[in-house]
Amino acid sequence: MRDSTVHIGLLLPEVLGTYGDTGNAQVLCQRLRWRGFDAEVVPVGLGEPVPSTLDLYLLGGGEDGAQALAAAHLRKYRRALTPEAVVFGVCAGLQVLGTRFRGLDGVDHDGLGLLDVTTEPGERRAVSELVATSSEILDNAPLTGFENHLGVSKLGAGSEPLGQVVRGTGNGDGTEGAVTDHIVGTYLHGPALARNPALADLLLTWTAGHPLPALELPEVDRLRGERLARRRRTP
């Protein structure tokens, strides 16, 4: 954090903002405010330069055309999103953070190369609740959200999965999402950081550079537990 206010960059919300993914920014802001920090969401629109001075960057989901447009724009400002930055991408955001993705028209597009991930269209769209067991980065905590994508993502040696699929499709090979350094991509919508507070706090811990005080939110924890239990029972 560069000063007393945490600046959360919301990248291209007008083209990468489907399924409520822009809500992830508000979740991070509120979790910081509950801990006594000042926080501000900084929208960065299409056609605007991406500042290198923000503390954390968020990318959401979008359709094929919007995704290609976003990737072309963000490649111009690739230097702002260094491997040292904290970046979180959902669905199309995950694919844009990867090295390459292919559209339904068969055209390949370069990603930002922050995740070692390539994505191609699958045979069937994944539309369902997605439940996964996280990797050790989150102490194997459960992850939950919903997915709506056709992409099949393959991880290279430079990225590790965010988790292993319990229910749903995820990357298409039994894994879900990708992590490299402080860059995280996932297929979880919901918004993901509302449904997975531990993931939100992991991003904030990386941003702060030190552990943050725990939050006692028993009602939130109870509702999350009930939702997870239902998702695991539902075929």
Side-chain angles (χ1 to χ4, degrees):
M1 299 178 185
R2 293 171 173 80
D3 56 38
S4 58
T5 300
V6 182
H7 298 94
I8 299 170
L10 185 58
L11 301 186
L12 314 186
E14 70 272 45
V15 293
L16 293 179
T18 58
Y19 307 122
D21 294 324
T22 56
N24 287 319
Q26 296 302 324
V27 170
L28 292 174
C29 269
Q30 187 58 54
R31 295 187 74 81
L32 285 166
R33 290 167 182 158
W34 280 332
R35 293 177 164 103
F37 293 94
D38 292 328
E40 176 186 0
V41 178
V42 181
V44 180
L46 190 66
E48 298 177 10
V50 179
S52 61
T53 53
L54 302 179
D55 296 295
L56 192 152
Y57 299 84
L58 302 177
L59 297 81
E63 302 298 330
D64 276 16
Q67 179 178 340
L69 187 65
H73 175 73
L74 293 175
R75 285 197 300 269
K76 301 175 186 177
Y77 303 101
R78 167 65 178 78
R79 290 185 179 181
L81 303 175
T82 67
E84 291 74 33
V86 180
V87 186
F88 180 64
V90 178
C91 200
L94 179 159
Q95 297 177 20
V96 169
L97 292 173
T99 58
R100 176 185 60 80
F101 60 91
R102 179 172 296 167
L104 287 174
D105 56 4
V107 175
D108 285 341
H109 301 271
D110 290 333
L112 302 181
L114 293 170
L115 293 173
D116 190 1
V117 176
T118 58
T119 303
E120 298 184 359
E123 296 181 358
R124 179 180 300 178
R125 177 170 289 274
V127 184
S128 69
E129 280 291 316
L130 175 57
V131 179
T133 300
S134 68
S135 64
E136 293 181 359
I137 200 170
L138 284 169
D139 297 324
N140 307 117
L143 296 168
T144 178
F146 73 89
E147 59 183 340
N148 186 344
H149 63 96
L150 192 62
V152 174
S153 294
K154 181 178 180 180
L155 276 59
S159 289
E160 297 291 333
L162 176 62
Q164 300 292 322
V165 172
V166 175
R167 178 186 173 208
T169 300
N171 297 334
D173 62 355
T175 66
E176 151 52 23
V179 182
T180 298
D181 298 320
H182 293 164
I183 316 294
V184 179
T186 181
Y187 279 111
L188 295 166
H189 296 286
L193 301 184
R195 294 180 63 166
N196 300 282
L199 180 55
D201 283 351
L202 175 66
L203 298 173
L204 294 176
T205 295
W206 287 343
T207 302
H210 57 77
L212 298 176
L215 289 177
E216 299 295 332
L217 301 169
E219 185 65 16
V220 172
D221 293 339
R222 181 184 66 80
L223 290 171
R224 173 173 159 76
E226 290 176 357
R227 169 171 279 178
L228 277 168
R230 288 197 300 270
R231 295 303 178 237
R232 284 168 170 160
R233 289 195 303 266
T234 304

